[in-house]
């Protein structure tokens, strides 16, 4: 990513390999490189096998939060919240209700399960995972410190320890300080409502070797319901780390931060790099829920390098047909010329013969320029808009893309030097394009959304920018003139918003986000006018503040459910809500 807390910075080794292989052309506007391995065709499938399939993107109770950003579309909108309104959150009756101590930093978004039977009684349960490889279940209405968890599960294997990424010299002696002091569970788990299980990806050091394991835990007890599975994989390829015509998954090269995704009996995990240190690839690995056997192996750059899957810790986006949408980061691209490397691309994919096949894709005309200047498309995550069959995406350049789901646009190279023509908005064959820096500073996150009685809005901000509100027009495009901006600028990575409301009712829409400009602060804004800030947790730091000791997770997202707001910080699960309820 090139910024603290991000996923990539180019190593001298990678630059040397890039030059020696000639995989980056000398000029920004050079034509597509030849396929690295033309004898092996790209994995594509047409017609779309899921075109008429149906998939429930939000299983379980309406007020449950079972996956990152609330549902598989990653919309981040709780549309059934009637307790938290602009008036109640803006009153003196809203603040921190409880703080549960935990044993490590919380990077995963808290999950919420209402009316869950635990120990013979029903509880409204919050699930929290830490970098010390521990998963907790807390009563959402408990008093915090002094109240024990409903259950606690330690996923470190016997004799193992957590990974000290900034100082450990395991694997290839690659050091990374994006998460300190330890790395255990970084990604948001996913809950299988029908099976009453929670799936968790945990990392530890076993016998001196970095090891990822996929776990299936009982929601009622936190215990493994079957033995965990060690993550491993290999694909045919000629990439820079290939041996004998195969590229193997290596935990010391791959960091797993994207939220887990459950689709049709398979749990998917996306991987990128440790601080961009080469060699690495973008991997998607899927595990069958019935026995945790490996069901899917996909590598975005099998014949080259990079193409990491990051999306600022959001999960893989899924539509109501079951298509998987992933956005890759920097690296070579040759899909349009018959190759298999798809960096800086939005891919619409389906399971196919044990891997993922591309049914549609979008790659910006300036992909080569992006790769040369560390301007990943995959720094952002797509927002799948309800009802319009379209997506909104931004990235490090701050350009904004509105894409038609079902006709993403492919890749359209430009004649001449693309780096000198990046202000063009009529080259890519998409529904709408706003020029670079439309999101000032570039986006390291995703968008918020609210459909109100008076209009439909999206929210977001760039790095070191102000949270901003835009209106969607009747045909689903974005009015490029902002409706409003928040009073303050946020430091890197900017605002990553989620929203809550009672449908489109006036006075109920709220934009929630965490600001880390001067210490971690939970902020809330009136969704009808983001210029109106109604709450910040720093007003009473002694009671309402967040713990940002030794740095804060840049990509934390609050969870809003059932009249409560849950935030994981450096040492606690913090619970906000009405104080006299």
């Amino acid at each position: 990513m090139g910024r603290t807390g991000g996923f990539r910075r180019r190593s001298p080794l990678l630059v040397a390999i890039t030059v020696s292989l000639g995989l980056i052309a000398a000029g920004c506007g050079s034509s597509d490189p030849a396929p690295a391995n033309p004898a092996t065709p790209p994995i594509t499938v047409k017609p779309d096998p899921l075109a008429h399939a149906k998939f429930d993107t939000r299983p379980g109770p309406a007020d449950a939060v079972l996956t990152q950003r609330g549902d598989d579309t990653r919309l981040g909108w709780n549309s059934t919240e009637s307790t938290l309104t602009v008036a109640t959150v803006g009153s003196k009756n809203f603040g921190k209700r409880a703080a549960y101590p935990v044993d490590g930093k919380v990077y995963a978004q808290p999950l919420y399960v209402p009316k869950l039977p635990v120990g013979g009684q029903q509880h409204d349960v919050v699930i929290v995972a830490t970098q010390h490889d521990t998963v907790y279940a807390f009563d959402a209405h408990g008093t915090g410190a002094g109240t024990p968890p409903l259950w606690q599960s330690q996923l470190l294997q016997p004799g193992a320890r957590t990974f000290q990424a900034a100082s450990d010299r395991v694997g290839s002696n690659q050091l990374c300080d994006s998460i300190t002091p330890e790395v255990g569970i970084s990604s948001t788990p996913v809950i299988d409502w029908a099976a009453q299980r929670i799936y968790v990806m945990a990392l530890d050091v076993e016998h001196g070797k970095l090891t990822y394991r996929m776990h299936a835990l009982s929601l009622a007890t936190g215990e493994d319901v079957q033995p965990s599975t060690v993550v491993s994989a290999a694909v045919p390829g000629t990439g820079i780390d290939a041996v004998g015509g195969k590229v193997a998954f290596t935990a010391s090269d791959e960091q797993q931060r994207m939220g887990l995704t459950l689709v049709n009996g398979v749990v998917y995990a996306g991987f990128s790099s440790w601080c961009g240190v080469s060699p690495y690839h973008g991997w998607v690995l899927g595990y069958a829920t019935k026995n945790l056997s490996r069901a899917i192996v996909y590598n975005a750059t099998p014949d080259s390098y990079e193409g990491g899957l990051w999306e600022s810790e959001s999960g893989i986006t899924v539509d109501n047909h079951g298509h998987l949408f992933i956005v890759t980061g920097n690296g070579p691209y040759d899909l349009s010329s018959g190759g298999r490397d798809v960096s800086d691309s939005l891919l619409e994919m389906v399971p196919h013969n044990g891997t993922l096949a591309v049914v549609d894709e979008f790659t910006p005309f300036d992909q080569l320029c992006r790769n040369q200047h560390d301007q990943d498309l995959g720094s952002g995550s797509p927002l799948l808009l309800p009802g319009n069959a379209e997506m909104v995406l931004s990235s490090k350049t701050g350009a904004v893309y509105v894409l038609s789901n079902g006709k993403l646009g492919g890749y359209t190279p430009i004649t001449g030097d693309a780096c000198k023509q990046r202000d063009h908005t009529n080259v890519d064959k998409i529904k709408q394009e706003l020029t670079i820096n439309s999101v000032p500073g570039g986006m390291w996150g995703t968008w918020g959304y609210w459909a109100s009685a008076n209009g439909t809005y999206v929210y977001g901000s760039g790095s070191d920018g102000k949270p901003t509100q835009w209106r969607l027009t009747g045909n689903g495009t974005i009015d490029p003139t902002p409706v409003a901006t928040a009073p303050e600028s946020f430091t890197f990575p900017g605002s990553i918003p989620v929203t809550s409301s009672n449908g489109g009712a006036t006075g109920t829409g709220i934009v929630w986000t965490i600001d880390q400009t001067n210490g971690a602060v939970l902020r809330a804004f009136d969704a009808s006018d983001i210029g109106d800030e109604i709450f910040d947790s720093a007003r009473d730091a002694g009671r309402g503040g967040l713990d940002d000791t030794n740095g804060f997770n840049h990509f934390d997202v609050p969870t809003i459910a059932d009249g409560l707001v849950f935030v994981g910080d450096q040492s606690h699960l913090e619970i906000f809500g009405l104080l006299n309820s």
Side-chain angles (χ1 to χ4, degrees):
M1 279 292 194
R3 295 292 299 266
T4 302
F7 80 84
R8 70 178 312 279
R9 62 171 179 258
R10 273 177 205 256
S11 67
L13 171 62
L14 178 55
V15 173
I17 292 173
T18 297
V19 173
S20 67
L21 292 180
L23 291 173
I24 289 182
C28 289
S30 300
S31 60
D32 294 342
N37 188 8
T40 304
I43 301 171
T44 58
V45 58
K46 297 205 185 266
D48 175 8
L50 297 181
H52 304 291
K54 300 295 183 183
F55 177 72
D56 185 0
T57 61
R58 192 182 180 99
D63 52 353
V65 178
L66 307 180
T67 189
Q68 215 271 351
R69 294 187 65 85
D71 66 64
D72 288 324
T73 71
R74 313 302 170 190
L75 189 62
W77 177 30
N78 178 352
S79 62
T80 62
E81 179 54 62
S82 58
T83 301
L84 301 179
T85 67
V86 172
T88 59
V89 172
S91 73
K92 294 182 179 179
N93 191 37
F94 181 83
K96 188 190 295 186
R97 291 167 52 114
Y100 284 102
V102 295
D103 64 2
K105 292 184 177 182
V106 180
Y107 274 52
Q109 183 178 357
L111 301 177
Y112 179 73
V113 187
K115 299 179 176 58
L116 179 69
V118 180
Q121 295 183 330
Q122 279 194 346
H123 297 267
D124 294 331
V125 175
V126 190
I127 305 291
V128 181
T130 76
Q131 294 289 3
H132 197 64
D133 274 329
T134 305
V135 184
Y136 295 86
F138 293 112
D139 190 316
H141 306 288
T143 58
T147 303
L150 298 170
W151 54 255
Q152 177 178 343
S153 183
Q154 172 55 250
L155 301 187
L156 279 174
Q157 298 301 295
R161 62 173 176 82
T162 55
F163 177 44
Q164 312 291 313
S167 58
D168 262 349
R169 294 194 175 274
V170 299
S172 303
N173 293 331
Q174 297 179 347
L175 305 182
C176 177
D177 60 359
S178 65
I179 300 176
T180 58
E182 60 182 348
V183 185
I185 301 170
S186 300
S187 61
T188 301
V190 64
I191 292 172
D192 185 336
W193 179 254
Q196 294 288 283
R197 295 181 180 181
I198 179 169
Y199 295 92
V200 185
M201 181 70 77
L203 174 71
D204 62 13
V205 180
E206 301 177 20
H207 309 292
K209 183 179 179 181
L210 275 180
T211 304
Y212 285 103
R213 289 178 179 268
M214 180 69 81
H215 292 261
L217 310 179
S218 164
L219 264 183
T221 66
E223 297 176 354
D224 278 290
V225 297
Q226 56 200 59
S228 61
T229 293
V230 174
V231 171
S232 64
V235 296
T238 58
I240 60 173
D241 53 344
V243 177
K246 288 188 176 294
V247 175
F249 176 91
T250 305
S252 58
D253 296 335
E254 303 290 334
Q255 189 173 22
Q256 204 279 306
R257 294 180 69 167
M258 285 189 72
L260 303 186
T261 302
L262 174 59
V263 182
N264 294 328
V266 177
V267 179
Y268 293 90
F271 294 81
S272 186
S273 72
W274 295 99
C275 288
V277 180
S278 184
Y280 70 91
H281 301 270
W283 292 85
V284 178
L285 303 180
Y287 292 85
T289 57
K290 61 183 180 181
N291 57 11
L292 291 187
S293 63
R294 191 179 63 229
I296 297 290
V297 177
Y298 175 75
N299 185 311
T301 52
D303 300 320
S304 56
Y305 53 87
E306 296 190 348
L309 302 177
W310 160 244
E311 298 187 36
S312 297
E313 296 187 2
S314 185
I316 294 173
T317 299
V318 188
D319 70 9
N320 59 8
H321 298 293
H323 298 115
L324 280 68
F325 294 84
I326 65 173
V327 190
T328 57
N330 280 353
Y333 170 84
D334 61 12
L335 182 67
S336 65
S337 54
R340 300 187 298 164
D341 298 323
V342 284
S343 302
D344 290 313
S345 299
L346 170 64
L347 305 175
E348 182 177 4
M349 313 193 82
V350 296
H352 179 72
N353 293 338
T355 186
L356 295 177
V358 178
V359 297
D360 201 1
E361 64 115 357
F362 167 67
T363 305
F365 74 87
D366 61 348
Q367 186 278 327
L368 187 59
C369 187
R370 284 175 172 273
N371 186 32
Q372 291 181 329
H373 294 279
D374 188 24
Q375 294 178 329
D376 308 61
L377 187 70
S379 69
S381 179
L383 179 71
L384 185 58
L385 296 174
N388 288 315
E390 61 188 31
M391 312 181 88
V392 178
L393 175 66
S394 188
S395 65
K396 279 188 179 182
T397 69
V400 179
Y401 307 100
V402 181
L403 309 153
S404 297
N405 187 2
K407 191 177 181 182
L408 293 179
Y411 172 57
T412 305
I414 192 170
T415 302
D417 190 336
C419 290
K420 295 180 179 179
Q421 303 180 70
R422 303 186 82 183
D423 58 344
H424 287 216
T425 59
N426 59 354
V427 177
D428 294 318
K429 293 180 173 61
I430 61 177
K431 186 169 186 176
Q432 183 187 20
E433 184 167 342
L434 304 181
T435 191
I436 61 172
N437 219 37
S438 293
V439 178
M443 183 174 279
W444 273 259
T446 191
W447 302 77
Y449 173 90
W450 183 41
S452 78
N454 299 313
T456 302
Y457 304 99
V458 291
Y459 311 85
S461 82
S463 175
D464 303 320
K466 293 183 177 182
T468 302
Q469 175 183 0
W470 291 268
R471 183 185 297 271
L472 290 179
T473 66
N475 67 355
T477 58
I478 296 175
D479 183 337
T481 302
V483 174
T485 58
E488 58 275 293
S489 292
F490 287 21
T491 191
F492 174 80
S495 169
I496 303 179
V498 291
T499 57
S500 66
S501 71
N502 186 8
T506 301
T508 68
I510 300 175
V511 178
W512 303 87
T513 191
I514 297 174
D515 177 13
Q516 297 153 66
T517 305
N518 295 302
V521 179
L522 172 67
R523 298 189 185 274
F525 302 89
D526 183 343
S528 66
D529 178 4
I530 203 172
D532 180 11
E533 184 172 350
I534 58 177
F535 174 79
D536 77 76
S537 61
R539 293 176 184 175
D540 183 2
R543 173 169 174 78
L546 303 179
D547 180 8
D548 60 356
T549 306
N550 299 320
F552 199 78
N553 172 19
H554 287 294
F555 306 98
D556 252 13
V557 179
T559 298
I560 297 87
D562 214 7
L564 299 171
V565 180
F566 308 101
V567 180
D569 61 24
Q570 308 312 280
S571 58
H572 291 83
L573 167 68
E574 315 281 7
I575 303 178
F576 295 81
L578 302 185
L579 301 177
N580 298 321
S581 64

